Amino acid sequence: MSTRPGPRALHLAVRLTIGPAVGALGLAAGHLTAALTTPAASPVLAVGSTVIDHTPTPVKEWAIAHFGTHDKTILIGSVLVGVLLLATAVGPLARRRLVYGAGALGVLTLVAAACALHRPAAHPGWVVPSLVTGAVAIGALAAVVGTQRHKTVDVAPGEGHPTSGTGTTRRTALALGAVVATAATLGETGRRVIGRRARAEDVTLPAASDPAAPFPAGIDRMVPGITPFRTPIDHFYRVDTRLDVPVVDSGSWSLRIDGDVAHPYEIDYRELLAMPMIERDITLTCVSNSVGGPYVGSARWLGVRLTDLLDRAGVGGSADQILSTDVGGMTISTPLALATDGRDAMLAVGMNGEPLPREHGFPVRMVIPGLYGFISATKWVNRLTLTTYAQKRAYWTRRGWATDAPIRISSRIDTPRPLATVKAGDQVMGGIAWAQENGGVARVEVSIDGGPWTAAHLGPSAGNDYWRQWYAPWHATPGSHQLACRVIDGAGHTQSPMRAEPFPSGSSGVQSISVDVV
Ligand SMILES: Nc1nc2c(c(=O)[nH]1)N[C@H]1C(S)=C(S)[C@@H](COP(=O)(O)O)O[C@H]1N2
Ligand SMILES: [Mo]
């Protein structure tokens, strides 16, 4: 058939596939090794995390804005594609001399090992998955190249008899198929092992000694399409720098409180659960949320007051920062003055009546009302160090983000959706609004086609630290229309119409959407 590739094109295609195939096998073997020991030491995850840490803030913000919560999958995919593209050089190199190809794989392996070793919480054992990757890839390369040598020993390199050349190519292609299939199996097994290990641990939480008020029913049913008053856990946004989900066993977890304190100490999970517990309804907001965006969620949190823990340590006079560290060595800074100004800052163990899910920080995370998550909501926290901003700089501080970042007041239109087609007649628009810092949401206003701002109806209140649902009836006439909303807080501040990007201290502006009425 004329569409069939000639032997030369076939040779080349097979040769270019050798590197990616043996590379994939190596990575899958390394990933499985890591899955059984320390998932974060997996070459793919270690390289991916290193990429995250070195991605310039604007690029990261662009990725969060465009890929949303798929950013992690896309990053891992890009790392894999990048590595496998580099590995295409391995086949042609190995054809000249096997050691050249092996050397190229060796270099890629060393890069992965270096990334793993430089993760903040790494120890020398973290190189093992990368070494497995290198050994398996090089072994597979030797085996695959062996299938090529077989019948052409008496022919000069590159001048194999066409018939026997096609035969060896076929044999090599079959071997590569086996390699790729094995890689897929090992990789999938690794993924499942990690998933199995990440299953929730069965812990029983104590009741709150200071419970939240009964939770009012929202207006979810009255206004179809509006954000539920309480975010179900599996719909709660997730933003963090981790590619894997840290699996921390409550029995081996402990929290250390040190730095500028009179009595540094360590407390384990059992002791923490024995302390007085508060329960609060709090809205969590990400600084990377753009106006109208999805990175905001509300839950009922159960935890120990941060000030109870700090008082036991006796905070000294010089600290102005709480530097919290997670089990992976990632750091978050919180202004000490804000965390201890009487707001319900806590080390949370429960979310919506359940133990924290692993994605959201099991076994213990910080939750502080009114501050963006990146300066307050440390998940998988295991250390609080009382220090100064002059002395220690946390992960995002080093990347230029603000250190003082109260959540800006904002509101969002949930329904209708932007660019929706709406039937003419009486319609309802609705959404959520939040204003944690200055007396909560006092008022929400809507404007149609740039007309006067008129008051929307508010849903019930679950306290000033929690968002408020709102809705406003409007009369839809055929044509294209602009709908906008804004919030006014308890101190009379109106949501600013000035547009600002999330970096460095949170977005501002007013959301305005277009809809088509027919
Ligand atoms: N350990 C750790 N904690 C973290 C982060 C992180 O990257 N690592 N991200 C923070 C950010 S930016 C936000 S907005 C909140 C999000 O919490 P959630 O994922 O439970 O919604 O967690 C915060 N806590
Ligand atoms: Mo965030």
Side-chain angles (χ1 to χ4, degrees), residues 61 64 237-240 285-289 295 332 372-375 377 396 401:
E61 285 304 291
I64 291 184
Y237 81 92
R238 176 182 169 201
V239 170
D240 56 59
T285 317
C286 180
V287 71
S288 296
N289 195 42
Y295 303 128
I332 282 184
Y372 283 121
F374 82 112
I375 59 157
W396 280 300
W401 289 86

PDB file of all heavy atoms in Angstrom, residues 61 64 237-240 285-289 295 332 372-375 377 396 401, ligand 2:
ATOM      1  N   GLU A  61      -0.165  32.423  38.372  1.00  0.00           N
ATOM      2  CA  GLU A  61      -1.488  33.039  38.453  1.00  0.00           C
ATOM      3  C   GLU A  61      -2.266  32.796  37.164  1.00  0.00           C
ATOM      4  O   GLU A  61      -3.453  32.525  37.178  1.00  0.00           O
ATOM      5  CB  GLU A  61      -1.351  34.553  38.703  1.00  0.00           C
ATOM      6  CG  GLU A  61      -0.970  34.873  40.129  1.00  0.00           C
ATOM      7  CD  GLU A  61      -1.938  34.277  41.125  1.00  0.00           C
ATOM      8  OE1 GLU A  61      -3.075  34.733  41.190  1.00  0.00           O
ATOM      9  OE2 GLU A  61      -1.564  33.314  41.827  1.00  0.00           O
ATOM     10  N   ILE A  64      -3.481  29.216  37.226  1.00  0.00           N
ATOM     11  CA  ILE A  64      -4.618  29.040  38.143  1.00  0.00           C
ATOM     12  C   ILE A  64      -5.882  29.620  37.508  1.00  0.00           C
ATOM     13  O   ILE A  64      -6.948  29.012  37.533  1.00  0.00           O
ATOM     14  CB  ILE A  64      -4.334  29.700  39.514  1.00  0.00           C
ATOM     15  CG1 ILE A  64      -3.250  28.918  40.248  1.00  0.00           C
ATOM     16  CG2 ILE A  64      -5.597  29.775  40.367  1.00  0.00           C
ATOM     17  CD1 ILE A  64      -2.949  29.417  41.648  1.00  0.00           C
ATOM     18  N   TYR A 237     -13.194  24.077  47.200  1.00  0.00           N
ATOM     19  CA  TYR A 237     -12.024  24.318  46.346  1.00  0.00           C
ATOM     20  C   TYR A 237     -10.754  23.837  47.042  1.00  0.00           C
ATOM     21  O   TYR A 237     -10.697  23.744  48.259  1.00  0.00           O
ATOM     22  CB  TYR A 237     -11.929  25.806  45.985  1.00  0.00           C
ATOM     23  CG  TYR A 237     -11.309  26.704  47.051  1.00  0.00           C
ATOM     24  CD1 TYR A 237      -9.947  26.979  47.043  1.00  0.00           C
ATOM     25  CD2 TYR A 237     -12.075  27.269  48.061  1.00  0.00           C
ATOM     26  CE1 TYR A 237      -9.368  27.790  48.007  1.00  0.00           C
ATOM     27  CE2 TYR A 237     -11.514  28.087  49.025  1.00  0.00           C
ATOM     28  CZ  TYR A 237     -10.154  28.339  48.993  1.00  0.00           C
ATOM     29  OH  TYR A 237      -9.583  29.137  49.957  1.00  0.00           O
ATOM     30  N   ARG A 238      -9.755  23.506  46.255  1.00  0.00           N
ATOM     31  CA  ARG A 238      -8.472  23.114  46.831  1.00  0.00           C
ATOM     32  C   ARG A 238      -7.368  23.914  46.157  1.00  0.00           C
ATOM     33  O   ARG A 238      -7.264  23.913  44.926  1.00  0.00           O
ATOM     34  CB  ARG A 238      -8.225  21.611  46.607  1.00  0.00           C
ATOM     35  CG  ARG A 238      -6.849  21.185  47.102  1.00  0.00           C
ATOM     36  CD  ARG A 238      -6.542  19.716  46.844  1.00  0.00           C
ATOM     37  NE  ARG A 238      -5.118  19.496  47.116  1.00  0.00           N
ATOM     38  CZ  ARG A 238      -4.411  18.489  46.648  1.00  0.00           C
ATOM     39  NH1 ARG A 238      -4.973  17.573  45.891  1.00  0.00           N
ATOM     40  NH2 ARG A 238      -3.121  18.389  46.917  1.00  0.00           N
ATOM     41  N   VAL A 239      -6.579  24.618  46.935  1.00  0.00           N
ATOM     42  CA  VAL A 239      -5.428  25.339  46.395  1.00  0.00           C
ATOM     43  C   VAL A 239      -4.235  25.069  47.296  1.00  0.00           C
ATOM     44  O   VAL A 239      -4.262  25.368  48.497  1.00  0.00           O
ATOM     45  CB  VAL A 239      -5.671  26.872  46.326  1.00  0.00           C
ATOM     46  CG1 VAL A 239      -4.377  27.598  45.983  1.00  0.00           C
ATOM     47  CG2 VAL A 239      -6.726  27.210  45.296  1.00  0.00           C
ATOM     48  N   ASP A 240      -3.205  24.456  46.751  1.00  0.00           N
ATOM     49  CA  ASP A 240      -1.958  24.288  47.493  1.00  0.00           C
ATOM     50  C   ASP A 240      -0.850  23.931  46.533  1.00  0.00           C
ATOM     51  O   ASP A 240      -1.087  23.728  45.353  1.00  0.00           O
ATOM     52  CB  ASP A 240      -2.110  23.218  48.595  1.00  0.00           C
ATOM     53  CG  ASP A 240      -2.582  21.895  48.041  1.00  0.00           C
ATOM     54  OD1 ASP A 240      -1.893  21.337  47.177  1.00  0.00           O
ATOM     55  OD2 ASP A 240      -3.659  21.414  48.460  1.00  0.00           O
ATOM     56  N   THR A 285     -11.148  31.933  51.786  1.00  0.00           N
ATOM     57  CA  THR A 285     -11.025  32.621  50.506  1.00  0.00           C
ATOM     58  C   THR A 285      -9.572  32.600  50.050  1.00  0.00           C
ATOM     59  O   THR A 285      -8.669  32.814  50.846  1.00  0.00           O
ATOM     60  CB  THR A 285     -11.474  34.099  50.651  1.00  0.00           C
ATOM     61  OG1 THR A 285     -12.662  34.136  51.441  1.00  0.00           O
ATOM     62  CG2 THR A 285     -11.719  34.742  49.310  1.00  0.00           C
ATOM     63  N   CYS A 286      -9.368  32.336  48.775  1.00  0.00           N
ATOM     64  CA  CYS A 286      -8.003  32.304  48.244  1.00  0.00           C
ATOM     65  C   CYS A 286      -7.671  33.644  47.615  1.00  0.00           C
ATOM     66  O   CYS A 286      -8.477  34.216  46.881  1.00  0.00           O
ATOM     67  CB  CYS A 286      -7.852  31.201  47.203  1.00  0.00           C
ATOM     68  SG  CYS A 286      -6.177  31.123  46.529  1.00  0.00           S
ATOM     69  N   VAL A 287      -6.470  34.113  47.882  1.00  0.00           N
ATOM     70  CA  VAL A 287      -6.020  35.390  47.326  1.00  0.00           C
ATOM     71  C   VAL A 287      -5.982  35.334  45.798  1.00  0.00           C
ATOM     72  O   VAL A 287      -6.073  36.365  45.136  1.00  0.00           O
ATOM     73  CB  VAL A 287      -4.634  35.757  47.917  1.00  0.00           C
ATOM     74  CG1 VAL A 287      -3.543  34.837  47.368  1.00  0.00           C
ATOM     75  CG2 VAL A 287      -4.279  37.216  47.651  1.00  0.00           C
ATOM     76  N   SER A 288      -5.844  34.127  45.237  1.00  0.00           N
ATOM     77  CA  SER A 288      -5.785  33.993  43.776  1.00  0.00           C
ATOM     78  C   SER A 288      -7.153  34.031  43.122  1.00  0.00           C
ATOM     79  O   SER A 288      -7.262  33.919  41.907  1.00  0.00           O
ATOM     80  CB  SER A 288      -5.086  32.685  43.392  1.00  0.00           C
ATOM     81  OG  SER A 288      -3.756  32.708  43.827  1.00  0.00           O
ATOM     82  N   ASN A 289      -8.188  34.171  43.920  1.00  0.00           N
ATOM     83  CA  ASN A 289      -9.535  34.223  43.346  1.00  0.00           C
ATOM     84  C   ASN A 289      -9.715  35.554  42.622  1.00  0.00           C
ATOM     85  O   ASN A 289      -9.511  36.609  43.204  1.00  0.00           O
ATOM     86  CB  ASN A 289     -10.560  34.111  44.477  1.00  0.00           C
ATOM     87  CG  ASN A 289     -11.944  33.783  43.965  1.00  0.00           C
ATOM     88  OD1 ASN A 289     -12.080  32.943  43.066  1.00  0.00           O
ATOM     89  ND2 ASN A 289     -12.952  34.439  44.497  1.00  0.00           N
ATOM     90  N   TYR A 295     -12.617  30.302  43.887  1.00  0.00           N
ATOM     91  CA  TYR A 295     -11.794  29.871  45.025  1.00  0.00           C
ATOM     92  C   TYR A 295     -12.256  30.457  46.342  1.00  0.00           C
ATOM     93  O   TYR A 295     -11.554  31.231  47.006  1.00  0.00           O
ATOM     94  CB  TYR A 295     -10.324  30.201  44.784  1.00  0.00           C
ATOM     95  CG  TYR A 295      -9.807  29.593  43.524  1.00  0.00           C
ATOM     96  CD1 TYR A 295      -9.154  30.363  42.565  1.00  0.00           C
ATOM     97  CD2 TYR A 295      -9.983  28.241  43.273  1.00  0.00           C
ATOM     98  CE1 TYR A 295      -8.699  29.792  41.391  1.00  0.00           C
ATOM     99  CE2 TYR A 295      -9.530  27.662  42.105  1.00  0.00           C
ATOM    100  CZ  TYR A 295      -8.896  28.446  41.171  1.00  0.00           C
ATOM    101  OH  TYR A 295      -8.454  27.890  40.011  1.00  0.00           O
ATOM    102  N   ILE A 332       4.088  29.084  55.774  1.00  0.00           N
ATOM    103  CA  ILE A 332       3.096  30.145  55.606  1.00  0.00           C
ATOM    104  C   ILE A 332       3.283  31.127  56.751  1.00  0.00           C
ATOM    105  O   ILE A 332       3.547  30.724  57.886  1.00  0.00           O
ATOM    106  CB  ILE A 332       1.666  29.534  55.602  1.00  0.00           C
ATOM    107  CG1 ILE A 332       1.388  28.903  54.226  1.00  0.00           C
ATOM    108  CG2 ILE A 332       0.606  30.567  55.971  1.00  0.00           C
ATOM    109  CD1 ILE A 332      -0.016  28.357  54.046  1.00  0.00           C
ATOM    110  N   TYR A 372      -6.826  35.905  53.952  1.00  0.00           N
ATOM    111  CA  TYR A 372      -6.704  34.990  52.822  1.00  0.00           C
ATOM    112  C   TYR A 372      -5.959  33.725  53.247  1.00  0.00           C
ATOM    113  O   TYR A 372      -5.072  33.765  54.116  1.00  0.00           O
ATOM    114  CB  TYR A 372      -5.936  35.650  51.670  1.00  0.00           C
ATOM    115  CG  TYR A 372      -6.761  36.629  50.880  1.00  0.00           C
ATOM    116  CD1 TYR A 372      -6.373  37.965  50.768  1.00  0.00           C
ATOM    117  CD2 TYR A 372      -7.918  36.222  50.211  1.00  0.00           C
ATOM    118  CE1 TYR A 372      -7.115  38.869  50.023  1.00  0.00           C
ATOM    119  CE2 TYR A 372      -8.671  37.120  49.468  1.00  0.00           C
ATOM    120  CZ  TYR A 372      -8.270  38.441  49.374  1.00  0.00           C
ATOM    121  OH  TYR A 372      -9.013  39.331  48.640  1.00  0.00           O
ATOM    122  N   GLY A 373      -6.297  32.606  52.588  1.00  0.00           N
ATOM    123  CA  GLY A 373      -5.726  31.308  52.951  1.00  0.00           C
ATOM    124  C   GLY A 373      -4.209  31.270  52.930  1.00  0.00           C
ATOM    125  O   GLY A 373      -3.596  30.584  53.755  1.00  0.00           O
ATOM    126  N   PHE A 374      -3.585  32.026  52.024  1.00  0.00           N
ATOM    127  CA  PHE A 374      -2.127  31.912  51.880  1.00  0.00           C
ATOM    128  C   PHE A 374      -1.369  32.530  53.045  1.00  0.00           C
ATOM    129  O   PHE A 374      -0.159  32.339  53.148  1.00  0.00           O
ATOM    130  CB  PHE A 374      -1.665  32.518  50.542  1.00  0.00           C
ATOM    131  CG  PHE A 374      -1.507  34.014  50.574  1.00  0.00           C
ATOM    132  CD1 PHE A 374      -0.244  34.591  50.478  1.00  0.00           C
ATOM    133  CD2 PHE A 374      -2.605  34.846  50.685  1.00  0.00           C
ATOM    134  CE1 PHE A 374      -0.081  35.972  50.502  1.00  0.00           C
ATOM    135  CE2 PHE A 374      -2.453  36.230  50.713  1.00  0.00           C
ATOM    136  CZ  PHE A 374      -1.188  36.791  50.616  1.00  0.00           C
ATOM    137  N   ILE A 375      -2.054  33.287  53.916  1.00  0.00           N
ATOM    138  CA  ILE A 375      -1.377  33.779  55.124  1.00  0.00           C
ATOM    139  C   ILE A 375      -2.057  33.271  56.391  1.00  0.00           C
ATOM    140  O   ILE A 375      -1.858  33.824  57.470  1.00  0.00           O
ATOM    141  CB  ILE A 375      -1.281  35.327  55.173  1.00  0.00           C
ATOM    142  CG1 ILE A 375      -2.674  35.965  55.135  1.00  0.00           C
ATOM    143  CG2 ILE A 375      -0.401  35.877  54.061  1.00  0.00           C
ATOM    144  CD1 ILE A 375      -2.690  37.370  55.736  1.00  0.00           C
ATOM    145  N   ALA A 377      -4.087  29.651  56.438  1.00  0.00           N
ATOM    146  CA  ALA A 377      -4.857  28.409  56.484  1.00  0.00           C
ATOM    147  C   ALA A 377      -3.996  27.153  56.319  1.00  0.00           C
ATOM    148  O   ALA A 377      -4.420  26.174  55.699  1.00  0.00           O
ATOM    149  CB  ALA A 377      -5.954  28.455  55.426  1.00  0.00           C
ATOM    150  N   TRP A 396       5.386  32.225  50.235  1.00  0.00           N
ATOM    151  CA  TRP A 396       4.831  33.241  49.337  1.00  0.00           C
ATOM    152  C   TRP A 396       5.415  34.625  49.595  1.00  0.00           C
ATOM    153  O   TRP A 396       5.379  35.482  48.720  1.00  0.00           O
ATOM    154  CB  TRP A 396       3.298  33.240  49.396  1.00  0.00           C
ATOM    155  CG  TRP A 396       2.739  32.141  48.551  1.00  0.00           C
ATOM    156  CD1 TRP A 396       2.927  31.983  47.197  1.00  0.00           C
ATOM    157  CD2 TRP A 396       1.949  31.017  48.964  1.00  0.00           C
ATOM    158  NE1 TRP A 396       2.298  30.839  46.762  1.00  0.00           N
ATOM    159  CE2 TRP A 396       1.682  30.238  47.814  1.00  0.00           C
ATOM    160  CE3 TRP A 396       1.438  30.615  50.192  1.00  0.00           C
ATOM    161  CZ2 TRP A 396       0.925  29.070  47.856  1.00  0.00           C
ATOM    162  CZ3 TRP A 396       0.685  29.455  50.236  1.00  0.00           C
ATOM    163  CH2 TRP A 396       0.433  28.692  49.079  1.00  0.00           C
ATOM    164  N   TRP A 401       4.466  38.131  47.516  1.00  0.00           N
ATOM    165  CA  TRP A 401       3.087  38.358  47.934  1.00  0.00           C
ATOM    166  C   TRP A 401       3.057  39.182  49.223  1.00  0.00           C
ATOM    167  O   TRP A 401       4.025  39.202  49.975  1.00  0.00           O
ATOM    168  CB  TRP A 401       2.366  37.023  48.154  1.00  0.00           C
ATOM    169  CG  TRP A 401       2.088  36.286  46.884  1.00  0.00           C
ATOM    170  CD1 TRP A 401       2.951  35.438  46.234  1.00  0.00           C
ATOM    171  CD2 TRP A 401       0.900  36.334  46.087  1.00  0.00           C
ATOM    172  NE1 TRP A 401       2.353  34.946  45.090  1.00  0.00           N
ATOM    173  CE2 TRP A 401       1.098  35.488  44.974  1.00  0.00           C
ATOM    174  CE3 TRP A 401      -0.311  37.016  46.209  1.00  0.00           C
ATOM    175  CZ2 TRP A 401       0.124  35.307  43.993  1.00  0.00           C
ATOM    176  CZ3 TRP A 401      -1.287  36.822  45.238  1.00  0.00           C
ATOM    177  CH2 TRP A 401      -1.057  35.982  44.139  1.00  0.00           C
TER     178      TRP A 401
HETATM  179 MO    MO B   2      -4.826  30.809  48.379  1.00  0.00          MO
END
